[in-house]
Structure formats: C-alpha cells, structure tokens
Amino acid sequence: MGGLKGLAEEIATGLDRAAKETRLRLEMGETARVLRVGKGVAAIAGFSELRAGELVAFPGGLHGMATDLDGREAGVVLLGPSDEIREGAAVRRTGRVADTPVGPALLGRVVDPLGRPLDDLGRIDAAARRPVDRPAPPIMHRAPVSVPLQTGIKAIDATIPIGRGQRELILGDRQTGKTSVALDTILNQKDTGVVSVYCAIGQRAASVVRVIATLRDAGALKRTVVVVAGGEDAPGLQYLAPYAATAMAEAFMEHGTDVLIVYDDLTRHARAYRELSLLLRRPPGREAYPGDIFHIHARLLERATRLRPEHGGGSLTALPVIETQAQNISAYIPTNLISITDGQVFLSPALFARGQLPAVDIGRSVSRVGGKAQHPAYRAVAGDLRLAYAQFEELETFARFGTQLDAETRRTLERGRRVRAILRQPERDHLSVAEQIAVLLATTEGLLDEVALERCAEAERAIRQRVRRDPDGLAARLATEAPLARADREALLDGLRDALASAGLVDRAGGDHGHP
C-alpha cells in the first residue's frame, strides 16, 4: 500500500508541476464547412465575415481564394489539387489576400504564382510580399511612351516599333512562332538593363523547359523571373499566374527599372477563367465566357505603363500572346485584347508555310505608339517601308496574271522581293540598332537591287560585318537617339558599297556580280 501511495503522490506532484509550467492560450478564429467540391472550386458556408480575394485554408495546407460571396455561401477558387478535400471539412480564414514575394531575390528563379520555387535551388529570401491583384497606376502618375524597346527583329523594330511602357499583342494561329518572337525580345534585353518576366500559363512542361534552357544558354536567365502555372496545374493557379507575375514586375518598375513581361498565353488564361466561372455557376455569355472576361484582362494590362520620375520612373512593357483559330481575329478573346492593347504583331500561317520567318504580316500588324517610340534614324531609312511593302504585295499579286509590266513596275517588284528577303531572320539572331539601320538603308537605297535574290543573306552578313568593325565610330552614333545626319548617311552608304564590293556581290562601279 505504501508503494502505491508514494506512486500516487509522485504522479500528483508531476501533474501540479506541469500545470504550473503550462501557459494556457486561448485562440479565437472563424471556421466554416465545405458544402460542395468541384474540379478546382469549392463552396463553403459558416463565415460571418469574409473579404473578396481573401485566402482560406483547407486541411492539408491547401489554400483557396474567395471570389463569389453572398449571404448563404462563398465560392472559393482552389490553388491546388482538390482530391483531398471532402464535404464537411473545416475551413479557416487566414486574414490576408493572395500575395507573392517580390524583389531581386526572384531573378534567375522559376516559381509558381504563389512564389514557391520550382527549380530546386532552395528557398527564396524575398524582401517583401505584395498582393497579386493591385490597382493600375493613376493617369497622372504615367509618362508618355517615347523610349524604344528594341526586339532585335528587323520586321518589328523597323515597321511596328514597340516602346517601353507599351502593350503590344502577339497573335497568330498555333505553331506560327509567337513564343519565338517573345523569347527573342527577352533575349535582346540581355545587355540593356531591362528586367524580364516570362509568365507561362497552361503550357506543356516540355515547352516551358525548352524556354528556360534557351534563357539559361543565352545568359539571360539571371535577369529574368519565370512564373509557371502549367497545363497540369489547378485552373485557379493558371488564373492567378499573370497577376502574380505583374506584381513581381511592378516591384522592379517602381524602383526605376524598365521591365518586360510576356504572358504566354492569355488564351489559356481565358479558358481557365471560363472553366472556373462555369463551375462557380456564373451565367455564361458569348462563347461561354462570362461577361467580366474583358474586365479581368483590362485590369491586368492597364498595369503596364511608364511612370513619371517622381513616381519611380520605371516602365512595364507587356507582350501578351494569344492564339487564333484559322486566323479569326474577330473572335471574342482576340477582339477584346486588340481593343485593350496599343497594337498587335500578327503572325501569318501562310508566311510561316512559305518560310518567311519571322512570319510577321506587316499589313495586318500595327503599333499605335508608332514613331514616337522609335529612333529617328529608323524613320529616315524606313519611314515609308510599310506603305512601299504593301504596294509591292499588291503589285506581285497583279503580276501573277502574266500581265506585261513596264520597267518601273519591274524595278518596284525587284526591290520589294529584296525587302522581303532582308526581313527574313533566323531565331536568336538579333541585330543591333546600327546593324538594322545599315541593312535597311542599303535595301531602301537600292544597293541590293543588283544582288541576286538568293545572295541577299550573304549581302546582309557583309553589311553587318562592316558595321561591327565601325572604323569611323559611325555605329555608336547610329545607336543614339539623334537623327541621321546627311554626312553620316553618305559615309554609311559609301562604306556599304565597299562592303558589298569586297564581298564580290557588286563592283564599285555598280555592276552586277551577284547573278551567275
């Protein structure tokens, strides 16, 4: 009996000690219950207060974003797989809206829309976090778009110039080179100080891996943030991806940095939003998209701008990509985005099939900022290139009927064919400003008229080599934003004639060495 009594006293003493050392803490929180679960969405009920866009936590660490609120229940977009969520499961509020890490720590990293790393390089020590959905800068904070953003692609920089702070849509049918154009633009910013953000929405994993490998091999990944919400991810993450990528880009812009962001592509973003909306029982409209699809894209793209110096002075240039069906640019989503953006680069499947790469249809492409965001030297050498090229294409169509042509028309056709040949450009082969101006000047001034059509690429290489040697410092002057002086123009033409003659394409007297 004594042993049992001693054991009881020891247990009682231990319990008293534990009770004194334990600090009780009362936690208060709201919980709700899951009513229904669908693919990527859930309906919950039980919260007395819940904000639109607020994150809620499900069992297992899954988060969702509250979107549809009414007096009885709330619709939640799930930011992950819904397989483990069951009806009746407890849901709790987090008290914060969806946000993402921002800052220089993201450069060179591959992340998901919530800022979680996908590249096995360890955790990201970001200095701050920002809500993914923020209002666009006020009109009075914006500056005019006047500084060019060079893509390194002749067909775009000469005829469809893009400015820093502009929104230029890239559209075309499937497999016409849309991503290649956007990727070339990112690669051309490697040494310009421009930070790039590539946002992959609904893409296959293999396609995203190829893009990342290209950026890494070219040395551009260290100045790029890659945000990925793949086709196998939840539609909620695909919906959130472009907003999160824009929040990351805005953090750089507001600190005075010029930023380029590529949304690849917003067609899949619209489809993800349509899927979520139908599951949340919103009424469908045209092509089953809800009526607010225009609003969500306008709210996104209005965040691209150039800021005044007193508000940071940076810029955010947006290149949204969309896919058309059978070149139908009057479909619902293409029409919406054409009306929101400041111009479009249209890629033609017919040009692609003929090997005219990049397959930019100059006649159907436009930049509404235009020459205000272009070096003056471009306007001096290619100011009427769009009009002349359009006239050439009409003449070429007419000439196919076998009509007898006069000498002037034949010269126009020959010049146009050389312009078309010069506008061809391999992927990842970027031209500097000086190289582009020299090549365009040689073409528009007729220096290539006597060069055989099949040797135009050889002539372009000779011109570019001449500009790179730059014996007179002319290339450095061409790269500035100063107009092309008459003396520089004549000196450049003389140098180009010498370059073509040295390559054996023409003789110095203007004779033809190009034709066999």
Side-chain angles (χ1 to χ4, degrees), residues 161-172:
I162 300 173
R164 298 187 183 186
Q166 187 174 342
R167 300 156 297 178
E168 186 78 5
L169 182 64
I170 301 174
L171 76 162

Side-chain angles (χ1 to χ4, degrees), residues 189-206:
Q189 312 310 314
K190 186 174 69 170
D191 299 319
T192 63
V194 174
V195 167
S196 301
V197 179
Y198 178 80
C199 179
I201 310 165
Q203 301 285 338
R204 297 191 305 271

Side-chain angles (χ1 to χ4, degrees), residues 147-317:
V147 180
L149 181 102
Q150 296 295 134
T151 67
I153 301 171
K154 291 168 289 187
I156 296 177
D157 291 339
T159 62
I160 321 157
I162 300 173
R164 298 187 183 186
Q166 187 174 342
R167 300 156 297 178
E168 186 78 5
L169 182 64
I170 301 174
L171 76 162
D173 285 4
R174 187 172 176 270
Q175 296 295 323
T176 51
K178 301 182 296 296
T179 299
S180 293
V181 169
L183 192 55
D184 274 331
T185 305
I186 291 177
L187 296 179
N188 200 52
Q189 312 310 314
K190 186 174 69 170
D191 299 319
T192 63
V194 174
V195 167
S196 301
V197 179
Y198 178 80
C199 179
I201 310 165
Q203 301 285 338
R204 297 191 305 271
S207 301
V208 178
V209 168
R210 280 196 299 270
V211 169
I212 296 170
T214 301
L215 292 171
R216 183 181 293 111
D217 293 344
L221 186 59
K222 61 185 177 182
R223 295 280 296 172
T224 305
V225 182
V226 179
V227 182
V228 180
E232 68 281 359
D233 289 329
L237 284 175
Q238 296 181 45
Y239 163 69
L240 208 61
Y243 299 99
T246 306
M248 297 173 190
E250 284 174 330
F252 292 104
M253 175 183 69
E254 292 171 7
H255 285 85
T257 302
D258 291 320
V259 188
L260 167 66
I261 185 166
V262 173
Y263 305 109
D264 191 10
D265 65 36
L266 290 188
T267 305
R268 289 181 172 87
H269 179 253
R271 289 171 186 160
Y273 186 68
R274 176 174 61 185
E275 179 182 349
L276 293 171
S277 298
L278 293 175
L279 289 168
L280 289 168
R281 302 182 182 180
R282 295 174 184 166
R286 180 176 165 188
E287 299 178 27
Y289 291 102
D292 62 343
I293 187 70
F294 182 93
H295 170 68
I296 70 164
H297 282 159
R299 195 175 75 221
L300 170 69
L301 293 170
E302 279 297 320
R303 293 163 71 176
T305 187
R306 185 181 177 202
L307 295 176
R308 294 184 179 276
E310 60 268 28
H311 297 289
S315 69
L316 177 55
T317 307

Side-chain angles (χ1 to χ4, degrees), residues 440-511:
L440 293 168
L441 180 62
T443 308
T444 56
E445 288 295 316
L447 270 62
L448 304 184
D449 287 359
E450 300 303 326
V451 175
L453 198 58
E454 62 271 14
R455 301 190 70 185
C456 282
E458 187 180 342
E460 180 182 340
R461 286 194 296 272
I463 291 170
R464 293 174 65 180
Q465 288 170 4
R466 167 73 183 190
V467 172
R468 287 169 185 164
R469 288 198 303 268
D470 191 23
D472 307 315
L474 183 57
R477 292 196 295 276
L478 290 176
T480 67
E481 296 189 18
L484 182 61
R486 181 183 294 272
D488 284 345
R489 183 189 186 98
E490 294 304 321
L492 182 58
L493 284 171
D494 288 342
L496 298 182
R497 291 189 187 98
D498 288 342
L500 294 174
S502 299
L505 298 165
V506 298
D507 61 29
R508 299 186 198 284

Side-chain angles (χ1 to χ4, degrees), residues 9-28:
E9 290 177 353
E10 185 177 345
I11 292 174
T13 303
L15 290 173
D16 289 341
R17 188 185 309 113
K20 292 177 182 178
E21 293 175 354
T22 302
R23 295 182 179 180
L24 297 179
R25 184 175 59 185
L26 179 64
E27 290 188 359
M28 298 182 63

